[in-house]
Amino acid sequence: MTTLYGYFRSSAAYRVRIALNLKGLDYDQVPVNLVKGEQRGGEHLTRNPQGMVPSLVLDDSSVVNQSLAICEYLDEVHPKPALLPADALARARVRALALSVACEIHPLNNLRVLKYLVSELGVDEAAKLAWYRHWITEGFAALEATLSTDPSSSDFCHGDTPTLADICLIPQVYNAERFECDLSAYPTIQRIAANCRSLPAFEKAAPGAQPDAN
């Protein structure tokens, strides 16, 4: 059985859960509690030397790390339904949308960055939230402009079926809502998020539906 090592609130693990569910694949989950620091334990570091989640352990004990690499691996091994369009230019657009979240927004706002702001730089809660919301505003404003002005966007970020872009977008929307960011300026993002969340694959992947949710 394929095993996903992750944490219920991890955006990166959330992405992989969505991808696995869209593919209709069975998998076990093993929680790695990021708040308790379990990602820095020796056993997990052997699996993932970065001390991060997710890690996908395959039936033959091979390990794939990094959420986007895992999603593309799954798409290559289980090509239907496709997470990337067939056309090269469309694939580039979907990857650009996904990377705008995974590389430009998420790294500035993930747990280890927020903890460093507080524990090492002495930032108080109000300043931490201001930091978080600033980078959401910067990133979502650009993403909204891209999605709302391109006819390739439809029910989802690209076309009428979920792609890698939606897989990255939804966890970031969840986090923005959790930190009480005002999303009223992003109607296209909100519409796409609602469409995604109406699908069982996204619903089953939501943090609150995971075995380690608390």
Side-chain angles (χ1 to χ4, degrees):
M1 176 69 74
T2 297
T3 302
L4 176 64
Y5 289 80
Y7 181 62
F8 77 107
R9 280 199 182 123
S10 161
S11 295
Y14 192 171
R15 296 169 197 153
V16 175
R17 293 195 300 265
I18 296 169
L20 286 162
N21 293 343
L22 285 170
K23 297 291 184 181
L25 300 173
D26 292 328
Y27 60 99
D28 286 333
Q29 292 196 67
V30 176
V32 179
N33 193 311
L34 303 184
V35 176
K36 293 181 179 179
E38 292 177 358
Q39 71 276 20
R40 294 186 294 275
E43 181 180 352
H44 188 69
L45 286 176
T46 300
R47 189 181 304 115
N48 189 323
Q50 287 184 290
M52 301 169 71
V53 296
S55 291
L56 191 71
V57 179
L58 308 178
D59 295 348
D60 65 357
S61 299
S62 299
V63 181
V64 187
N65 292 318
Q66 286 291 339
S67 63
L68 296 192
I70 295 171
C71 290
E72 293 217 28
Y73 165 81
L74 293 172
D75 210 34
E76 291 172 5
V77 175
H78 306 280
K80 294 186 183 297
L83 304 180
L84 290 165
D87 176 74
L89 187 59
R91 283 200 305 277
R93 179 177 186 265
V94 167
R95 285 189 173 113
L97 291 168
L99 291 169
S100 71
V101 174
C103 295
E104 306 297 338
I105 303 174
H106 174 242
L108 291 165
N109 285 335
N110 70 11
L111 179 62
R112 63 179 182 166
V113 169
L114 297 179
K115 288 178 72 173
Y116 187 86
L117 288 173
V118 173
S119 63
E120 300 298 326
L121 301 184
V123 169
D124 63 20
E125 185 68 14
K128 183 188 80 171
L129 289 174
W131 166 280
Y132 188 98
R133 291 166 181 162
H134 170 78
W135 295 115
I136 288 292
T137 299
E138 289 275 317
F140 274 21
L143 193 59
E144 176 72 20
T146 301
L147 292 170
S148 64
T149 58
D150 192 323
S152 299
S153 300
S154 184
D155 290 342
F156 300 95
C157 288
H158 187 91
D160 298 322
T161 57
T163 66
L164 187 63
D166 304 283
I167 285 172
C168 289
L169 175 63
I170 298 311
Q172 197 64 60
V173 170
Y174 164 82
N175 282 335
E177 291 170 344
R178 180 172 165 243
F179 282 88
E180 300 181 347
C181 298
D182 182 4
L183 302 184
S184 61
Y186 318 117
T188 309
I189 288 175
Q190 291 191 85
R191 176 179 58 77
I192 291 170
N195 290 338
C196 289
R197 286 168 163 172
S198 71
L199 300 178
F202 285 83
E203 184 180 10
K204 287 170 56 181
Q210 306 317 304
D212 57 327
N214 55 50

